[in-house]
């Protein structure tokens, strides 16, 4: 943006601001116990410094700047949360400070792992694979019947907008308290978004590309393999990403309706009722990290599979 | 429209036929157990028994319809057993939460588009928040706010607002950024300020993005409202009815609440679509 | 039009060819009573105002639209049989390259569909890319190439089946003048050295005159052939020839025929 000299001095200044800000954050947290007004003064300084660092980072253009801004912002939010909850003596049952949540994660690691296995590795994975798989296959199955497409696509769109999650108690009644009933909910929640997106993707070839395949006298399967499936990939990945979140929500909420004594939804609802909010938050952290990790993983696969797509090409170039 | 009507109707009829068949298949073991073993009974009698059980595994569509009608018209509107009243509670939560989610989402989008710091530091978190199963927070929020003495509508509406702000923010940020550099340059040649550019260019171009986001938000809002009604604290609304039905094994109660919830979501979608049509009409045929 | 050599089987024959779009009152007549013969080894440009049906005629030859009446033969076969026999290559207005395939794999796509073995395909692709001067870009992806290079790849791809007939629909319309000149020369040399038959749709008079042995001037609504102008220019041409009096005279004749046709419409 500016000359290189100002650019360098700005780079130095932003890191110093951020570092000093975080240092003051730590000081204010330590002094929070019994030092009168000191914590609030250091907190004020810290806030100003971090915000100044943030705005400096936001002006930068390189990759480090792009990463630093959200990371710094996240740290700032965590710290503000900690300071406000501890400083204002917010009751534990309303909002535990992040430090307490971190402690809870440390203390209950085996339990959280067992919940994770029950909910994510069993219910979500099985349901997600079956839901996405059958949505995709259904889209292919009706591909050669325009009549079925016209009938199923609007219905699929409509059903995607319905609160399918409400079917959870019925699935629990049908398939029992185990993970199978949760997987069934996940299947129902993910199949229609996949169907609709795959259909839209398969239909998104342009006229010239279809003519091209016709001049090659290409058959149905050849056109599908060489043209329509690759073109549909970005839409299919959209559905995969959307469904990852839906699957987690479906499995967790379905556990509110009955489950063996483990699982993330079970943990959240029972510990919330017992006012053990730190464990609830610890479970939510696990769910959040799971959701983000799934998203990042799918996005990484997408970058490999659809490397040619303008949105990914563009991101690479910058 | 007419091109779609026949295929959609055909698929619906097929679904209904399959549904009745599935009801026989799933209910037959229990239905036969209930029938008099001495009396010989044909297949049709078994089927009829399957379609009219009190607590079927899968109720027949007409059973659900009549249960729905009974739960709406069988009780006075003030009775808590009236499903329309319960749907009203859920609708109230949905609408209020949606309203605040919309305001929050639009304000955040305006901030992100105009303030670079916000764009760089907040936008990644907004996107990350989409990947988090936020609905899981619902019971905790209800309990936490309940501990502060806040009960009833507010915690539920807060959950709905939290769920709905996201699609609105993402859609509106995209929308506010659609004006191309040429159009922005044009505004600059008129020496228009940011406010004018927003009012004359950004806001009108964002309309095409508002309605799709709003449709997603409505679907999320109804889901959110129902889940928010499920924790033990809540006694009213369709979510509470679902939970109660699940506790007492009342199949018909669950199915009618589920259908009512779907109708509510459809009504919301219809409202947004009508609003969209209205705006399109005002703007001479297109967004 | 190849009357001097009646023994050569014509590449394309159209007799009383009409093409109608839509039905009933909404029907429009895109092509009306086209009579045209394109001899083997000719390079024929179809020129005319927008909407005169020149692209429709090309698409009919390629079996992408069906004639409503009349007769159309490609290498003595019906257009469909010619398409199934992979008798022609088609170059579109845009490169229409598949972005997920490398340049080489785009060129081999038609051969892959035809079921040719991998080694054979690769040799063919190398040969065709060399013909359009892009041998060094085989491993690149289409979106890493300039517009002119992309269109050259699509020409190489159209040559894949070793067709005797190359159909081109305004292939250079979207390119800048200088790139266009270069590609015109390239195409001309390719044609002159290979014995291909070319059918070329264009808006540009200089382009048509430079490339063609015959120029078919068409008129608007309904699309019909106004005049077929045979070029007296030497078979092999250079870009500088565009300044010669003969070239300019021929250009003038084409322009006059175009305005004539416009008067009818």
């Amino acid at each position: 943006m500016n000359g290189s000299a100002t650019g360098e001095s700005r780079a130095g200044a932003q890191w110093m601001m951020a570092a000093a800000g975080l240092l003051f954050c730590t000081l204010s947290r330590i002094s929070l116990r019994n030092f009168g007004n000191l914590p609030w003064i250091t907190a004020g300084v810290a806030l100003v410094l971090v915000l100044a660092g943030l705005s400096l980072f936001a002006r930068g253009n390189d990759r480090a700047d792009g990463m630093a801004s959200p990371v710094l912002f996240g740290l700032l939010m965590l710290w503000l949360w900690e300071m406000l909850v501890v400083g204002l003596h917010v009751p534990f049952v309303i909002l535990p400070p992040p430090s307490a949540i971190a402690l809870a994660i440390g203390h209950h690691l085996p339990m959280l792992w067992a919940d994770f296995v029950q909910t994510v590795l069993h219910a979500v994975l099985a349901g997600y694979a079956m839901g996405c798989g059958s949505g995709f296959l259904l889209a292919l199955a009706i591909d050669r019947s325009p009549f079925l497409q016209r009938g199923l696509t609007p219905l699929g769109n409509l059903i995607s907008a319905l609160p399918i999650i409400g079917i959870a108690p019925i699935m629990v009644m049908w398939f029992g308290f185990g993970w199978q009933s949760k997987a069934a909910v996940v299947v129902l929640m993910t199949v229609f978004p996949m169907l609709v997106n795959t259909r839209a993707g398969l239909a998104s070839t342009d006229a010239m590309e279809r003519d091209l395949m016709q001049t090659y006298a290409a058959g149905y399967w050849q056109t599908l393999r060489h043209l329509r499936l690759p073109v549909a990939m970005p839409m299919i990945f959209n559905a995969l990403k959307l469904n990852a979140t839906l699957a987690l929500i479906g499995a967790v909420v379905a556990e509110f309706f009955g489950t063996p004594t483990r699982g993330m939804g079970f943990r959240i609802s029972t510990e919330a009722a017992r006012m053990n909010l730190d464990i609830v938050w610890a479970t939510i952290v696990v769910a959040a990290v799971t959701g983000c990790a799934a998203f990042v993983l799918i996005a990484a696969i997408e970058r490999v599979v659809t490397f040619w797509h303008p949105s990914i090409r563009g991101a690479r170039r910058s | 429209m007419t091109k779609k009507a026949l295929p959609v109707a055909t698929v619906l009829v097929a679904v209904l036929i399959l549904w009745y068949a599935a009801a026989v298949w799933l209910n037959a073991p229990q239905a036969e157990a209930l029938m008099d073993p001495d009396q010989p009974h044909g297949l049709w009698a078994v089927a009829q028994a399957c379609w009219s059980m009190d607590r079927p595994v899968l109720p027949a569509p007409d059973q659900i319809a009549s249960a729905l009608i009974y739960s709406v018209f069988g009780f006075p509107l003030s009775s808590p057993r009236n499903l329309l009243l319960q749907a009203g509670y859920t609708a109230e939560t949905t609408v209020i939460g949606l309203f605040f989610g919309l305001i929050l989402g639009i304000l955040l989008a305006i901030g992100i588009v105009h303030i670079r710091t916000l764009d760089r530091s907040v936008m990644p978190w907004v996107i990350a928040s989409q990947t988090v199963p936020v609905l899981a927070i619902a019971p905790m929020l209800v309990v936490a706010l309940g501990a502060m003495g806040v009960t009833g509508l507010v915690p539920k509406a807060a959950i709905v607002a939290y769920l709905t702000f996201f699609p609105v923010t993402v859609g509106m940020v995209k929308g506010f950024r659609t004006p191309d550099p040429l159009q922005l340059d044009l505004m600059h040649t008129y020496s228009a300020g940011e406010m004018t550019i927003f009012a004359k260019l950004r806001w009108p171009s964002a309309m095409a993005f508002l309605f799709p986001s709003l449709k997603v938000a409505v679907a999320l809002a109804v889901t959110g409202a129902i889940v928010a009604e499920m924790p033990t604290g809540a006694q009213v609304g369709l979510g509470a009815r679902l939970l109660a039905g699940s506790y007492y094994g009342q199949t018909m109660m669950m199915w009618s609440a589920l259908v009512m919830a779907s109708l509510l979501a459809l009504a919301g979608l219809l409202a947004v679509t009508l609003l969209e049509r209205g705006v399109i009409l005002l703007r001479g045929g297109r967004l | 039009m190849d009357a001097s050599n009646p023994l050569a089987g014509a590449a394309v024959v159209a007799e009383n060819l009409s093409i109608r779009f839509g039905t009933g009152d909404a029907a429009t007549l895109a092509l009306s009573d086209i009579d045209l013969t394109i001899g083997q080894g000719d390079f024929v440009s179809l020129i005319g105002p927008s909407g005169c049906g020149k692209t429709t005629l090309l698409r009919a030859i390629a079996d992408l639209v069906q004639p409503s009446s009349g007769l159309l033969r490609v290498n003595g076969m019906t257009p469909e049989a010619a398409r199934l026999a992979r008798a022609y290559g088609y170059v579109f207005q845009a490169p229409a390259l598949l972005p997920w395939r490398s340049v080489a794999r785009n060129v081999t796509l038609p051969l892959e569909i035809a079921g040719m073995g991998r080694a054979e395909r690769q040799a063919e692709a190398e040969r065709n890319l060399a013909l359009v001067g892009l041998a060094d870009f085989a491993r690149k992806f289409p979106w890493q190439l300039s517009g002119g290079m992309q269109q050259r790849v699509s020409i190489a791809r159209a040559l894949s089946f070793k067709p005797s007939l190359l159909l081109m629909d305004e292939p250079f319309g979207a390119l800048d003048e200088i790139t266009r000149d270069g590609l015109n020369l390239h195409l001309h040399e390719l044609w002159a050295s290979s014995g291909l038959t070319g059918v070329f749709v264009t808006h540009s008079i200089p382009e048509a005159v430079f490339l063609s042995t015959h120029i078919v001037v068409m008129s608007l609504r309904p699309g019909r052939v106004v005049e077929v102008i045979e070029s007296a220019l030497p078979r092999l041409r250079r870009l500088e020839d565009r300044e010669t009096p003969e070239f300019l005279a021929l250009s003038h004749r084409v322009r006059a025929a175009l305005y004539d046709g416009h008067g009818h419409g």
Side-chain angles (χ1 to χ4, degrees), chain A residues 119 124 165 182 186 247-257 264-266 268 287, chain B residues 133 135-137:
Chain A
T119 305
V124 170
I165 202 132
K182 284 80 194 173
V186 173
L248 261 176
I249 290 178
V252 167
V253 172
E255 283 178 352
F256 295 167
F257 291 97
M264 287 154 74
F266 166 80
I268 288 171
Chain B
L135 261 185
I137 304 178

Side-chain angles (χ1 to χ4, degrees), chain C:
Chain C
M1 93 192 50
D2 215 5
S4 60
N5 185 5
L7 290 175
V12 176
V13 179
E15 282 170 18
N16 291 324
L17 179 73
S18 293
I19 293 178
R20 215 176 301 271
F21 289 126
T23 48
D25 294 341
T28 53
L29 193 57
L31 287 177
S32 166
D33 287 330
I34 302 287
D35 285 306
L36 185 68
T37 306
I38 297 175
Q40 297 287 357
D42 284 352
F43 196 107
V44 177
S45 285
L46 309 177
I47 191 167
S50 296
C52 72
K54 48 196 192 302
T55 296
T56 306
L57 179 55
L58 197 73
R59 288 170 62 83
I61 298 171
D63 188 38
L64 294 174
V65 288
Q66 311 309 319
S68 308
S69 63
L71 178 118
L72 186 61
R73 287 288 176 271
V74 179
N75 288 345
M77 297 178 273
T78 63
E80 193 189 2
R83 177 171 67 86
L84 294 177
R86 289 155 174 142
Y88 65 81
Y90 197 106
V91 181
F92 290 88
Q93 283 167 340
L97 300 170
L98 303 183
W100 54 88
R101 297 175 78 103
S102 67
V103 165
R105 292 191 64 230
N106 261 289
V107 176
T108 56
L109 174 67
L111 302 173
E112 200 177 326
I113 287 171
M116 188 187 276
R118 180 185 289 269
E120 236 180 315
R121 295 206 294 261
Q122 265 162 3
E124 192 70 7
E126 272 168 36
R127 201 180 61 85
N128 286 326
L129 279 174
L131 274 181
V132 297
L134 286 175
D136 296 339
F137 294 87
R139 291 181 174 280
K140 294 266 185 207
F141 283 92
W143 31 274
Q144 295 167 322
L145 268 51
S146 69
M149 288 158 100
Q150 289 185 25
Q151 199 55 287
R152 270 148 77 190
V153 175
S154 83
I155 292 173
R157 181 178 60 183
L159 296 173
S160 281
F161 290 138
K162 294 207 182 93
S164 62
L165 179 62
L166 191 58
L167 307 173
M168 289 159 282
D169 182 8
E170 286 185 60
F172 309 139
L175 303 174
D176 66 83
E177 188 92 21
I178 295 174
T179 312
R180 194 169 176 156
D181 278 355
L183 286 177
N184 275 333
L185 185 63
H186 214 102
L187 178 62
H188 177 67
E189 286 168 352
L190 188 71
W191 165 77
S193 64
S194 66
L196 273 169
T197 308
V199 184
F200 190 90
V201 169
T202 182
H203 275 121
S204 155
I205 296 172
E207 193 172 62
V209 173
F210 176 72
L211 289 168
S212 313
T213 58
H214 300 78
I215 299 160
V216 177
V217 180
M218 296 179 71
S219 76
L220 201 59
R221 270 188 293 272
R224 57 172 89 237
V225 173
V226 179
E227 194 179 352
V228 178
I229 300 171
E230 188 163 354
S231 173
L233 297 175
R235 184 174 162 86
L236 208 59
R237 297 156 201 183
R238 295 164 304 159
L239 283 175
E240 304 87 85
D241 294 345
R242 293 181 302 179
E243 315 295 331
T244 61
E246 294 82 4
F247 191 97
L248 295 175
L250 189 57
S251 301
H252 187 78
R253 237 186 104 191
V254 174
R255 191 180 309 272
L258 271 173
Y259 280 110
D260 245 23
H262 226 58
H264 291 227

Side-chain angles (χ1 to χ4, degrees), chain A residues 248-300:
Chain A
L248 261 176
I249 290 178
V252 167
V253 172
E255 283 178 352
F256 295 167
F257 291 97
T259 175
T261 54
R262 59 180 183 277
M264 287 154 74
F266 166 80
R267 195 67 57 208
I268 288 171
S269 56
T270 47
E271 299 298 335
R274 287 187 201 155
M275 301 286 172
N276 288 333
L277 272 263
D278 53 342
I279 301 179
V280 174
W281 273 100
T283 309
I284 286 168
V285 169
V286 174
V289 170
T290 309
C292 282
F295 190 86
V296 167
L297 180 71
I298 297 168

Side-chain angles (χ1 to χ4, degrees), chain A residues 58 60 70 94 174 245 249 292, chain B residues 57 116 120 125 130-131 135 148:
Chain A
I94 291 173
W174 282 10
T245 318
I249 290 178
C292 282
Chain B
V57 178
R116 205 184 154 97
R120 281 303 196 73
W125 288 103
Q130 185 198 21
T131 66
L135 261 185
M148 279 188 345

